[in-house]
Amino acid sequence: MNTQNNTVNILFIGDIVGRGGRKTVKSAISRLKEELSLDLIIANAENSASGFGITLNVYKELLGFGIDICTSGNHIYDKKEIVGYLDNLDKLIRPANLPSKAPGKGFVVVEKKGVRFLIVNLLGRVFMPLSDCPFQTFEKILSEYPDCLPIVDFHGEATSEKNAFAYNFDGKALAVIGTHTHVQTNDDRLLPNGTFYITDAGMCGALDSCIGVVKENSIEKFLTSVPIKFDVEKKGKMLFNAVFFSIDTDTKKIVKFEKIYNICGE
Ligand code: FE2
């Protein structure tokens, strides 16, 4: 792929599910880092530890792969051990529209090639846990960082909510990338005012699974309505889902984008 010195090349990796997802991400980054001349790697890591939540060791492992910033969502506090560390971790963010006393930070600024990026995590409110308005929360954050290019991980269930958010901030956000459903959508595009958008970046986890968990677990729950423990699917081919986009360091506009849907191994 043609890459240039006057671009910042960014990879956003969809929800990483469990050990299999991590292994897939490690090998994908080692392959893509050079091929795409990656400058900034962001990944949703809220399911990276055993399929639910994240631990300190897993966080360190992901940074070791070359990931710059981990985002999260409704599962951020699932592993209790991470809660006490969150205020002091500068490369893992939780949804910004949680209560102000919620542990952790909702956004982070990172600089690459002289360009300052504002990476923000937000939680949708349709079919999701209670949270503050993501629109108003983001408006407030934007007003505090006018010199940065905002990249949003909008962690939500409803397509309509993600669509509305992206159009509302078209031209104000550099990118609005949906996560949480674990299924990559085919609507990646530049909106009329230049914001890069995709409803869901997808996941890194087992292909033959229900969004990463053993499909029989999920089927049984739907058939019986009885709560059941979900196990992460570890067998078979793995998915690596991500989106790549590139900005010109002078114009600060997106000059290239593509989604990545790889099926790996056996
Ligand atoms: Fe989620």
Side-chain angles (χ1 to χ4, degrees), residues 138-200:
F138 186 55
E139 197 76 68
K140 183 170 183 299
I141 296 169
L142 272 182
S143 69
E144 293 165 359
Y145 293 86
D147 61 324
C148 295
L149 296 182
I151 298 172
V152 178
D153 173 347
F154 194 101
H155 197 77
E157 184 75 33
T159 304
S160 57
E161 188 179 22
K162 295 176 181 179
N163 271 205
F165 182 90
Y167 277 115
N168 192 61
F169 293 102
D170 180 17
K172 293 182 178 175
L174 177 70
V176 175
I177 299 165
T179 58
H180 178 69
T181 73
H182 294 202
V183 177
Q184 189 178 79
T185 54
N186 195 27
D187 58 343
D188 55 310
R189 65 192 186 279
L190 295 183
L191 300 182
N193 294 317
T195 294
F196 172 65
Y197 173 68
I198 187 168
T199 299
D200 208 294

Side-chain angles (χ1 to χ4, degrees), residues 21-31 61 65 240:
R22 301 200 308 270
K23 193 175 161 197
T24 306
V25 167
K26 182 182 182 184
S27 73
I29 289 177
S30 66
R31 176 168 44 88
E61 182 184 328
F65 296 167
F240 175 77

Side-chain angles (χ1 to χ4, degrees), residues 76-150:
I76 180 62
Y77 302 131
D78 280 13
K79 295 280 188 287
K80 301 299 171 225
E81 65 144 274
I82 198 69
V83 175
Y85 294 109
L86 276 170
D87 284 337
N88 297 315
L89 300 182
D90 55 4
K91 295 181 176 180
L92 170 60
I93 56 175
R94 49 85 171 156
N97 52 331
L98 294 182
S100 59
K101 288 188 176 177
K105 311 174 190 78
F107 56 88
V108 63
V109 174
V110 55
E111 187 169 327
K112 297 287 178 182
K113 292 183 174 171
V115 181
R116 279 160 59 82
F117 295 91
L118 173 66
I119 300 165
V120 182
N121 197 185
L122 291 165
L123 198 61
R125 297 202 294 180
V126 180
F127 307 128
M128 294 294 271
L130 283 174
S131 64
D132 293 338
C133 175
F135 292 70
Q136 291 175 3
T137 300
F138 186 55
E139 197 76 68
K140 183 170 183 299
I141 296 169
L142 272 182
S143 69
E144 293 165 359
Y145 293 86
D147 61 324
C148 295
L149 296 182

